[in-house]
Amino acid sequence: MSQQILRSALYMPASNQRAMDKARQLDCDAVIFDLEDAVSPDAKEQARQQVLEQLQAGGYGARKVVVRANSIDSPWGEADLQALATSGVKTICLPKIDSAEQLQRCSKLLESSGAPAEVTLWGMIETPRGVANVEAIASSGGRLEALLMGTTDLANELRVPVRPDRLGLQYALSRCVNAARMGGIVILDSVFLDITSEEGFRADCVQGHALGFDGKTLIHPSQVATANEVYGLDEEQVEHARQIISVWQAARDEGKGVAVLNGKLVETMHVDDAHRLLALWESQQRLEVVSG
């Protein structure tokens, strides 16, 4: 799993130069320049050129820079991947991934177009077919680094009503989290469309965190702070992680078979998770220094 914390991943339309420039000053952990939903068909090629120029300009510090291409099955998908392969971008987001084979097709196109080995992929699960194949997708290895939920399209295809509790999406959300854990990759929750409801957005974040998501995809800068708060780590969690590692090491040094912290047994899985949290904390601290 990636050791860069991804509490907040903000979509920015690739057709909007000012928005892409503004992302350099925002506190999001990742910025996703969007060539797909945020760009009209007649502006696709111009937006692609703008994003290539933006990548060359750089200046995003420790933030992760991602480009969402158009679907490989769309009229623009192949050209997007061919252009992005040698653009310098380190991560490409692929919409509407329905199968591991489709993901591998994208990877092969990138490789044949000269993409360096370190270029990673984020795959979006937005359809019933994608959910049905998500275990194979998440465990396909290769360049895949993360899954992203796209519940707007998914809810439409499932014909479930849009509800604050996302009742009709619970199965798909949990199945995808489970698949991501099987594959050892990151998974980010879907966007919340009502940018006027801070209370609703917070509730959505809290629910997603409880379901096991690593972070949240966003559509507006006003959502960044809440996502960072809900999905972020605090000093208390970090101190607890350090204590777990400390008592575990002390028990090993003393030849004891059991380590205990505050009356609770400490097992290897707790130590592994503590190390994971500390790595994420270091990433969070680096991002906060850059943003601050």
Side-chain angles (χ1 to χ4, degrees):
M1 181 183 291
S2 169
Q3 294 304 306
Q4 178 173 347
I5 198 162
L6 289 168
R7 303 164 294 179
S8 53
L10 177 65
Y11 288 107
M12 286 288 193
S15 56
N16 188 328
Q17 182 72 48
R18 290 182 61 189
M20 291 192 290
D21 287 338
K22 183 178 180 181
R24 295 189 180 97
Q25 283 76 49
L26 298 176
D27 293 340
C28 53
D29 295 342
V31 56
I32 306 173
F33 297 142
D34 187 13
L35 291 169
E36 195 212 13
D37 286 346
V39 180
S40 62
D42 60 348
K44 295 288 189 183
E45 294 187 8
Q46 180 182 351
R48 184 192 302 137
Q49 184 58 40
Q50 284 186 197
V51 89
L52 293 175
E53 293 171 1
Q54 200 72 19
L55 292 170
Q56 290 301 309
Y60 293 92
R63 298 171 191 82
K64 191 174 186 68
V65 177
V66 184
V67 178
R68 177 162 73 168
N70 287 281
S71 168
I72 188 68
D73 296 318
S74 75
W76 311 279
E78 290 192 5
D80 283 348
L81 294 182
Q82 289 167 343
L84 292 171
T86 55
S87 67
V89 70
K90 295 295 191 292
T91 303
I92 299 169
C93 179
L94 303 172
K96 296 180 176 60
I97 294 297
D98 287 340
S99 66
E101 291 75 19
Q102 186 185 32
L103 187 64
Q104 289 160 5
R105 180 178 155 207
C106 294
S107 294
K108 288 179 180 178
L109 179 57
L110 284 169
E111 184 176 354
S112 66
S113 301
E118 62 267 21
V119 172
T120 59
L121 297 175
W122 288 4
M124 296 195 67
I125 306 299
E126 305 182 73
T127 66
R129 187 180 298 276
V131 174
N133 293 324
V134 71
E135 290 82 10
I137 294 168
S139 298
S140 61
R143 296 178 183 269
L144 187 65
E145 180 183 53
L147 294 180
L148 278 66
M149 297 303 304
T151 58
T152 302
D153 287 350
L154 180 60
N156 181 61
E157 290 200 34
L158 290 174
R159 302 175 193 164
V160 299
V162 178
R163 293 171 40 139
D165 62 4
R166 299 196 288 182
L167 179 63
L169 295 167
Q170 291 291 311
Y171 168 77
L173 293 171
S174 291
R175 181 169 177 176
C176 290
V177 169
N178 189 70
R181 298 297 168 247
M182 287 172 59
I185 60 176
V186 170
I187 183 164
L188 303 183
D189 199 2
S190 59
V191 299
F192 184 80
L193 297 177
D194 186 358
I195 61 175
T196 67
S197 176
E198 199 282 330
E199 181 180 354
F201 177 69
R202 177 176 290 275
D204 210 58
C205 287
V206 169
Q207 183 199 53
H209 186 264
L211 287 170
F213 286 95
D214 296 296
K216 185 83 166 162
T217 51
L218 316 173
I219 59 170
H220 195 273
S222 64
Q223 298 174 326
V224 171
T226 298
N228 284 350
E229 177 191 340
V230 174
Y231 283 99
L233 299 169
D234 57 33
E235 291 281 2
E236 184 176 344
Q237 290 172 286
V238 172
E239 180 56 30
H240 183 68
R242 290 174 177 146
Q243 289 174 3
I244 286 174
I245 295 169
S246 178
V247 299
W248 174 262
Q249 188 60 52
R252 294 189 64 183
D253 292 344
E254 295 169 13
K256 296 179 180 178
V258 176
V260 178
L261 177 62
N262 300 328
K264 296 181 180 179
L265 187 67
V266 174
E267 300 184 74
T268 304
M269 63 178 178
H270 300 130
V271 179
D272 291 342
D273 195 54
H275 282 294
R276 180 185 68 83
L277 288 175
L278 291 182
L280 291 176
W281 174 252
E282 291 179 6
S283 172
Q284 181 175 315
Q285 294 296 97
R286 287 194 297 270
L287 283 160
E288 289 176 353
V289 167
V290 170
S291 299

